[in-house]
PDB file of all heavy atoms in Angstrom:
ATOM      1  N   ARG T 265     -14.077  20.573  -6.068  1.00 89.00           N
ATOM      2  CA  ARG T 265     -12.697  20.382  -6.516  1.00 89.00           C
ATOM      3  C   ARG T 265     -12.568  19.226  -7.501  1.00 89.00           C
ATOM      4  O   ARG T 265     -11.828  19.309  -8.477  1.00 89.00           O
ATOM      5  CB  ARG T 265     -11.772  20.134  -5.319  1.00 89.00           C
ATOM      6  CG  ARG T 265     -11.683  21.310  -4.366  1.00 89.00           C
ATOM      7  CD  ARG T 265     -11.054  20.905  -3.054  1.00 89.00           C
ATOM      8  NE  ARG T 265     -11.825  19.860  -2.370  1.00 89.00           N
ATOM      9  CZ  ARG T 265     -11.507  19.344  -1.197  1.00 89.00           C
ATOM     10  NH1 ARG T 265     -10.440  19.790  -0.561  1.00 89.00           N
ATOM     11  NH2 ARG T 265     -12.257  18.408  -0.633  1.00 89.00           N
ATOM     12  N   CYS T 266     -13.260  18.133  -7.217  1.00 88.00           N
ATOM     13  CA  CYS T 266     -13.085  16.948  -8.064  1.00 88.00           C
ATOM     14  C   CYS T 266     -14.332  16.598  -8.868  1.00 88.00           C
ATOM     15  O   CYS T 266     -14.300  15.667  -9.681  1.00 88.00           O
ATOM     16  CB  CYS T 266     -12.673  15.744  -7.219  1.00 88.00           C
ATOM     17  SG  CYS T 266     -13.901  15.220  -6.022  1.00 88.00           S
ATOM     18  N   GLY T 267     -15.431  17.316  -8.661  1.00 88.00           N
ATOM     19  CA  GLY T 267     -16.637  17.062  -9.441  1.00 88.00           C
ATOM     20  C   GLY T 267     -17.293  15.731  -9.140  1.00 88.00           C
ATOM     21  O   GLY T 267     -17.946  15.149 -10.008  1.00 88.00           O
ATOM     22  N   ARG T 268     -17.132  15.247  -7.911  1.00 89.00           N
ATOM     23  CA  ARG T 268     -17.702  13.955  -7.537  1.00 89.00           C
ATOM     24  C   ARG T 268     -18.339  14.039  -6.150  1.00 89.00           C
ATOM     25  O   ARG T 268     -18.031  14.906  -5.350  1.00 89.00           O
ATOM     26  CB  ARG T 268     -16.615  12.873  -7.544  1.00 89.00           C
ATOM     27  CG  ARG T 268     -16.174  12.453  -8.953  1.00 89.00           C
ATOM     28  CD  ARG T 268     -14.927  11.601  -8.887  1.00 89.00           C
ATOM     29  NE  ARG T 268     -14.607  10.995 -10.170  1.00 89.00           N
ATOM     30  CZ  ARG T 268     -14.028  11.633 -11.168  1.00 89.00           C
ATOM     31  NH1 ARG T 268     -13.706  12.916 -11.043  1.00 89.00           N
ATOM     32  NH2 ARG T 268     -13.752  11.015 -12.300  1.00 89.00           N
ATOM     33  N   TYR T 269     -19.218  13.075  -5.895  1.00 87.00           N
ATOM     34  CA  TYR T 269     -19.780  12.920  -4.560  1.00 87.00           C
ATOM     35  C   TYR T 269     -18.754  12.161  -3.707  1.00 87.00           C
ATOM     36  O   TYR T 269     -18.225  11.128  -4.148  1.00 87.00           O
ATOM     37  CB  TYR T 269     -21.087  12.134  -4.608  1.00 87.00           C
ATOM     38  CG  TYR T 269     -22.210  12.853  -5.319  1.00 87.00           C
ATOM     39  CD1 TYR T 269     -22.386  12.717  -6.696  1.00 87.00           C
ATOM     40  CD2 TYR T 269     -23.098  13.674  -4.626  1.00 87.00           C
ATOM     41  CE1 TYR T 269     -23.412  13.370  -7.364  1.00 87.00           C
ATOM     42  CE2 TYR T 269     -24.130  14.339  -5.271  1.00 87.00           C
ATOM     43  CZ  TYR T 269     -24.279  14.182  -6.642  1.00 87.00           C
ATOM     44  OH  TYR T 269     -25.292  14.834  -7.289  1.00 87.00           O
ATOM     45  N   LEU T 270     -18.487  12.645  -2.530  1.00 87.00           N
ATOM     46  CA  LEU T 270     -17.481  12.034  -1.670  1.00 87.00           C
ATOM     47  C   LEU T 270     -18.130  11.228  -0.558  1.00 87.00           C
ATOM     48  O   LEU T 270     -19.060  11.687   0.099  1.00 87.00           O
ATOM     49  CB  LEU T 270     -16.577  13.102  -1.055  1.00 87.00           C
ATOM     50  CG  LEU T 270     -15.793  13.993  -2.028  1.00 87.00           C
ATOM     51  CD1 LEU T 270     -14.844  14.897  -1.246  1.00 87.00           C
ATOM     52  CD2 LEU T 270     -15.042  13.181  -3.065  1.00 87.00           C
ATOM     53  N   VAL T 271     -17.616  10.017  -0.359  1.00 85.00           N
ATOM     54  CA  VAL T 271     -18.022   9.181   0.769  1.00 85.00           C
ATOM     55  C   VAL T 271     -16.750   8.673   1.439  1.00 85.00           C
ATOM     56  O   VAL T 271     -15.695   8.573   0.799  1.00 85.00           O
ATOM     57  CB  VAL T 271     -18.905   7.991   0.326  1.00 85.00           C
ATOM     58  CG1 VAL T 271     -20.218   8.479  -0.248  1.00 85.00           C
ATOM     59  CG2 VAL T 271     -18.172   7.115  -0.675  1.00 85.00           C
ATOM     60  N   PRO T 272     -16.806   8.352   2.728  1.00 85.00           N
ATOM     61  CA  PRO T 272     -15.598   7.866   3.414  1.00 85.00           C
ATOM     62  C   PRO T 272     -15.092   6.575   2.800  1.00 85.00           C
ATOM     63  O   PRO T 272     -15.876   5.695   2.416  1.00 85.00           O
ATOM     64  CB  PRO T 272     -16.076   7.633   4.854  1.00 85.00           C
ATOM     65  CG  PRO T 272     -17.316   8.450   4.996  1.00 85.00           C
ATOM     66  CD  PRO T 272     -17.954   8.465   3.643  1.00 85.00           C
ATOM     67  N   PHE T 273     -13.773   6.455   2.687  1.00 87.00           N
ATOM     68  CA  PHE T 273     -13.145   5.221   2.211  1.00 87.00           C
ATOM     69  C   PHE T 273     -12.877   4.327   3.412  1.00 87.00           C
ATOM     70  O   PHE T 273     -12.220   4.738   4.369  1.00 87.00           O
ATOM     71  CB  PHE T 273     -11.841   5.546   1.485  1.00 87.00           C
ATOM     72  CG  PHE T 273     -11.133   4.322   0.956  1.00 87.00           C
ATOM     73  CD1 PHE T 273     -11.749   3.508   0.031  1.00 87.00           C
ATOM     74  CD2 PHE T 273      -9.858   4.005   1.398  1.00 87.00           C
ATOM     75  CE1 PHE T 273     -11.102   2.380  -0.465  1.00 87.00           C
ATOM     76  CE2 PHE T 273      -9.197   2.880   0.907  1.00 87.00           C
ATOM     77  CZ  PHE T 273      -9.823   2.078  -0.029  1.00 87.00           C
ATOM     78  N   MET T 274     -13.392   3.088   3.365  1.00 84.00           N
ATOM     79  CA  MET T 274     -13.336   2.204   4.522  1.00 84.00           C
ATOM     80  C   MET T 274     -12.087   1.324   4.543  1.00 84.00           C
ATOM     81  O   MET T 274     -11.986   0.408   5.351  1.00 84.00           O
ATOM     82  CB  MET T 274     -14.584   1.310   4.555  1.00 84.00           C
ATOM     83  CG  MET T 274     -15.902   2.084   4.597  1.00 84.00           C
ATOM     84  SD  MET T 274     -15.977   3.283   5.949  1.00 84.00           S
ATOM     85  CE  MET T 274     -16.022   2.168   7.349  1.00 84.00           C
ATOM     86  N   GLY T 275     -11.137   1.592   3.652  1.00 86.00           N
ATOM     87  CA  GLY T 275      -9.916   0.793   3.610  1.00 86.00           C
ATOM     88  C   GLY T 275      -8.920   1.194   4.677  1.00 86.00           C
ATOM     89  O   GLY T 275      -9.220   1.922   5.627  1.00 86.00           O
ATOM     90  N   ALA T 276      -7.681   0.730   4.502  1.00 91.00           N
ATOM     91  CA  ALA T 276      -6.641   0.890   5.524  1.00 91.00           C
ATOM     92  C   ALA T 276      -5.847   2.181   5.377  1.00 91.00           C
ATOM     93  O   ALA T 276      -4.935   2.427   6.177  1.00 91.00           O
ATOM     94  CB  ALA T 276      -5.682  -0.302   5.457  1.00 91.00           C
TER      95      ALA T 276
END
Side-chain angles (χ1 to χ4, degrees):
R265 296 166 300 181
C266 64
R268 286 169 170 78
Y269 293 89
L270 301 186
V271 295
F273 180 61
M274 302 306 292

